[in-house]
Amino acid sequence: MKRIAVFASGHGSNFQAILEQIKKGFIPASIGLCITNNPEAGVIEIAEANGIPVKICPPKDYSDSHAFNQAILAALIEAEIDYIILAGYLKLIGRQIVDRYSNKIINIHPALLPSFGGKGMYGHHVHEAVFNRGVKLSGATVHLVNNKYDAGPIVLQKSVSIEDAISDEEIAKRVLKIEHEIFPQAVKLLVENRLEVNGLRVTIKGEQIVGDD
Ligand code: GRF
């Protein structure tokens, strides 16, 4: 059974959504480790409630980002992790981790990349920018992770109309619902090794994914 590490910094609703689909047998993998940079993150309780080991790595405990990422890499190797899922993780993944887990790391972004992405574009900042720009559609993107924020090959995207949204909070709610739908689908494709990557294009091998709502 393939082993997944989940990296998260926040509430953990995406982590929860993935856990549910693992329990239902939709995702053929197990979660071997939860990594967080935030000692207050909600994901810690979720992991503990499910008997998943947690490694809390506050960056301030390390001399520099290399030591920080080196410690995380060591934990991944010790836990015999095959794939990495970024579920609301706010730190850039170190090059040594990206290189070792090439095309085996995916991230969920709460907008339709490449729009509204890049450094500083996370959480509510994204939905504020989307609301203020007056776009009629938003949505979520799952992409493979490389050494630049939100710039890796796109795996799945789904849009939602926000024409009648009256606030960025309303947009956030609609987009989060989409995230909980497409992220587990992307995790399934990843662990079943069904992603064919050519440059920035990803094609899905085998039958199209049918979400398990
Ligand atoms: C989500 O909006 C995700 O798109 C972004 O961080 C947020 C994580 O939310 N990367 P949660 O912690 O999974 O509830």
Side-chain angles (χ1 to χ4, degrees):
M1 173 85 68
K2 293 296 181 189
R3 290 168 62 80
I4 293 172
V6 176
F7 287 37
S9 310
H11 317 290
S13 70
N14 275 287
F15 180 30
Q16 190 68 53
I18 290 164
L19 260 176
E20 275 156 30
Q21 294 306 326
I22 288 176
K23 288 174 184 170
K24 286 183 184 173
F26 178 65
I27 297 174
S30 62
I31 297 181
L33 181 61
C34 172
I35 300 261
T36 185
N37 59 303
N38 173 9
E40 312 301 316
V43 288
I44 296 169
E45 280 155 55
I46 297 171
E48 288 173 346
N50 289 277
I52 296 168
V54 182
K55 183 174 177 59
I56 303 173
C57 320
K60 64 176 173 39
D61 291 0
Y62 300 87
S63 52
D64 57 25
S65 69
H66 179 77
F68 170 69
N69 283 293
Q70 214 44 41
I72 292 175
L73 180 57
L76 292 168
I77 294 167
E78 190 186 348
E80 296 178 311
I81 296 301
D82 301 297
Y83 297 100
I84 297 172
I85 310 298
L86 308 186
Y89 183 67
L90 298 184
K91 308 299 291 177
L92 192 63
I93 302 297
R95 180 176 294 277
Q96 67 269 55
I97 299 173
V98 173
D99 291 347
R100 182 179 177 96
Y101 288 91
S102 174
N103 285 343
K104 292 180 183 292
I105 310 175
I106 54 175
N107 178 50
I108 180 87
H109 184 76
L112 295 174
L113 292 176
S115 301
F116 304 105
K119 196 166 170 46
M121 274 298 190
Y122 59 87
H124 68 89
H125 300 295
V126 175
H127 306 302
E128 279 166 17
V130 164
F131 183 75
N132 294 335
R133 183 61 185 81
V135 292
K136 303 304 181 187
L137 287 175
S138 191
T141 302
V142 183
H143 62 94
L144 288 160
V145 171
N146 58 21
N147 294 307
K148 290 197 294 293
Y149 277 114
D150 302 330
I154 291 173
V155 175
L156 290 178
Q157 288 187 301
K158 184 167 184 182
S159 66
V160 61
S161 166
I162 52 168
E163 200 145 1
D164 60 340
I166 54 166
S167 67
D168 55 326
E169 288 82 9
E170 175 58 33
I171 295 173
K173 256 192 287 191
R174 294 186 196 179
V175 169
L176 194 60
K177 193 167 172 300
I178 302 271
E179 294 176 43
H180 295 165
E181 198 184 314
I182 68 169
F183 206 11
Q185 291 172 358
V187 173
K188 177 182 177 64
L189 293 168
L190 182 71
V191 302
E192 292 180 347
N193 193 26
R194 290 173 52 198
L195 302 179
E196 197 162 286
V197 186
N198 296 295
L200 282 176
R201 287 192 64 77
V202 175
T203 45
I204 293 170
K205 295 181 275 186
E207 76 278 359
Q208 281 307 310
I209 195 94
V210 176
D212 178 349
D213 291 325

